[in-house]
Amino acid sequence: MKVSTRGDYACRALLSLAMHADGTPTSVRDIADRTALPQPYLEQILLAVKGAGLVRSKRGVGGGYVLARDPSLITLAQIVSAVDGPIEVGDFGMPHQNGACDHEGQCVLLAVWADVGEHMRQLLEGQTLADVAAIARGQAAWPDPVT
């Protein structure tokens, strides 16, 4: 599995909101300008994360989007899941628990794919918007690469 363009854009948009949070709504145009994301696509993404309860919106003059909760309570996994669905390598089914596979080696591979998806989900759950904002501001170290 890879994080889709939608997932990346959603994370970038919410990171922008976290980095510029002052209690006032930020317009889609301002988010698009700061992140270099296409505004029409960004509007669709913000509606999806709003539906997941990660942002709130205000209409009219001075309207826009704000985070629905503190950035330390929003994980990258929640953002990616809001726009891409469940974090998993693929929808291949579950391995048979008794080892009775329909096809040679299938159950072993199904178990591996499930494990890979679980590791990715855990990594994304371990990073909050506050964590990423601190790194982007130079207030925290970059994450160590997985070895």
Side-chain angles (χ1 to χ4, degrees), residues 107-136:
C107 290
V108 175
L109 289 173
L110 291 175
V112 170
W113 304 149
D115 192 42
V116 168
E118 179 62 19
H119 283 289
M120 183 173 196
R121 188 186 58 73
Q122 288 176 6
L123 286 169
L124 292 174
E125 283 181 352
Q127 293 290 321
T128 68
L129 281 178
D131 297 332
V132 179
I135 295 167

Side-chain angles (χ1 to χ4, degrees), residues 2-84:
K2 65 180 186 176
V3 174
S4 73
T5 300
R6 273 177 69 90
D8 176 56
Y9 284 10
C11 289
R12 289 168 56 187
L14 270 62
L15 177 58
S16 179
L17 290 175
M19 292 182 68
H20 298 277
D22 63 2
T24 60
T26 303
S27 71
V28 176
R29 171 175 278 166
D30 287 345
I31 298 168
D33 288 345
R34 290 194 301 236
T35 59
L37 299 176
Q39 187 173 336
Y41 195 35
L42 183 58
E43 289 170 350
Q44 295 173 15
I45 290 167
L46 287 168
L47 287 175
V49 294
K50 179 183 175 188
L54 300 177
V55 297
R56 292 188 315 263
S57 65
K58 179 183 175 193
R59 301 181 109 195
V61 176
Y65 288 89
V66 295
L67 295 175
R69 54 186 181 266
D70 190 270
S72 66
L73 301 175
I74 300 174
T75 67
L76 296 183
Q78 291 168 327
I79 301 168
V80 170
S81 293
V83 296
D84 286 341

